[in-house]
Amino acid sequence: MKKLLMAVIFALVAVTANAQSVTPDTENAVSATSDQAAYRINAGDDIEVYVWGEERLQRQIRVLPDGTFSFPLVGRIEAEGKLPYEIEAVVSKGLENQYRGQVPQVTVSVKTPSGLQFSVMGRVNAPGSFTPGRYVNLLEALSLAGGPSQFADLDGISIVRKTPTGLTTIRSSLGGLFKRSGAAAAVSRRAIPNIQTGDTVIVP
């Protein structure tokens, strides 16, 4: 049973990974216009700040442990918890005094979400905390935790998430994916929650 569950997880992960594939020019980069626009920057993330037409202002930067980074002509920027487009606005505002005409377009991309951390607990084979260095969805999180154990209730999975207003719980039901023949081919990536930093996945 355990081997069957793991096989289905790996098949589903492969399907969702293919569904999220991007062109080589945008691989591993996440901007405000992508599917990962809701990703909030964390300490330890590698980000790229690009000021169009100003090669001297193109930087790949690691966000410091205090959640900040420094950028030429702008200074120290509070990045942790912000969306990429919010950082774009801060950089643009900081460059206003440097340009008499129109401020160049600023693009901020998350190159490597190294600060993405989450935990998996309950009926999985290897519970713990994980820092995958890439975006993962719920199925991939279960895979990193060794897959569900034999008596796991896959219809009762909870994701406990920290929000500015407190904790919220997201319910997820994956049991049907393991019961129906050919479910891996039919799975929609939008039906499987993405994991955000600070999430705790509980498998009862």
Side-chain angles (χ1 to χ4, degrees):
M1 180 64 176
K2 174 182 173 181
K3 291 183 178 179
L4 176 60
L5 291 176
M6 290 298 293
V8 174
I9 280 185
F10 292 139
L12 288 168
V13 167
V15 169
T16 54
N18 289 336
Q20 296 179 44
S21 63
V22 293
T23 61
D25 290 339
T26 59
E27 186 175 6
N28 296 327
V30 179
S31 69
T33 59
S34 73
D35 287 341
Q36 292 288 353
Y39 179 79
R40 294 186 180 273
I41 294 170
N42 303 290
D45 284 352
D46 289 322
I47 64 173
E48 182 179 71
V49 182
Y50 187 86
V51 181
W52 291 88
E54 294 285 355
E55 291 188 5
R56 64 192 178 95
L57 293 180
Q58 182 177 0
R59 294 285 191 280
Q60 185 161 330
I61 304 166
R62 174 159 292 184
V63 180
L64 297 175
D66 65 357
T68 70
F69 69 91
S70 295
F71 193 76
L73 306 179
V74 178
R76 181 172 171 270
I77 296 174
E78 298 278 351
E80 187 167 19
K82 290 186 170 61
L83 299 168
Y85 77 84
E86 294 176 310
I87 302 299
E88 292 172 358
V90 172
V91 175
S92 293
K93 182 69 174 177
L95 293 175
E96 280 183 352
N97 294 333
Q98 309 298 324
Y99 294 87
R100 294 186 180 275
Q102 184 177 4
V103 177
Q105 180 181 350
V106 177
T107 300
V108 174
S109 301
V110 180
K111 303 295 290 184
T112 308
S114 302
L116 176 61
Q117 299 179 340
F118 65 92
S119 300
V120 183
M121 59 186 298
R123 291 184 173 177
V124 291
N125 293 306
S129 297
F130 304 90
T131 306
R134 59 184 177 86
Y135 299 105
V136 296
N137 60 30
L138 178 56
L139 278 171
E140 292 170 311
L142 293 181
S143 178
L144 289 170
S149 60
Q150 183 175 0
F151 299 106
D153 178 10
L154 297 177
D155 290 319
I157 298 175
S158 298
I159 301 173
V160 179
R161 177 165 297 167
K162 299 175 184 177
T163 71
T165 58
L167 296 178
T168 186
T169 300
I170 300 169
R171 307 290 183 184
S172 183
S173 177
L174 300 181
L177 298 177
F178 295 87
K179 297 174 184 177
R180 294 193 298 268
S181 176
V187 68
S188 167
R189 67 188 176 103
R190 296 188 181 277
I192 301 173
N194 287 324
I195 298 299
Q196 296 184 11
T197 193
D199 282 357
T200 298
V201 179
I202 303 173
V203 183

